[in-house]
Amino acid sequence: MVDENDSTKLEGAAAPSSDPRPVRPIEPDAADCCGEGCVPCIYDLYEEALERYKVELAAWLARHPEASG
């Protein structure tokens, strides 16, 4: 029998193995930029990826509070 009032259950929580921690994007090396003023520049793409990572990490930490300590 399942107790629907059991407060120990985590709503929507996935097992860490099926919900891996997001991986921080790798910052481009200075040699990766051609210096020609490309739009978007590789650094612009990195900044966008870094912002997505921060949002994804915050959501992941909310699902896995035991990992934030």
Side-chain angles (χ1 to χ4, degrees), residues 2-22:
V2 176
D3 181 3
E4 293 179 10
N5 295 319
D6 185 357
S7 62
T8 61
K9 288 188 244 176
L10 295 175
E11 292 282 329
S17 62
S18 64
D19 185 21
R21 184 182 185 114

Side-chain angles (χ1 to χ4, degrees), residues 7 18 21 31 33 51-53:
S7 62
S18 64
R21 184 182 185 114
C33 177
E51 288 305 314
R52 282 191 307 273
Y53 163 75

Side-chain angles (χ1 to χ4, degrees), residues 1 6 16 22 24 35 37 42-43 48-50 54-56 59 61-63 68:
M1 181 172 167
D6 185 357
R24 184 181 185 94
I42 193 166
Y43 288 108
E48 291 172 7
L50 187 59
K54 289 176 182 178
V55 169
E56 292 169 2
L61 287 171
R63 292 190 306 272
S68 64

Side-chain angles (χ1 to χ4, degrees), residues 34-50:
C34 68
E36 297 292 322
C38 299
V39 178
C41 174
I42 193 166
Y43 288 108
D44 296 330
L45 298 174
Y46 168 72
E47 289 298 323
E48 291 172 7
L50 187 59

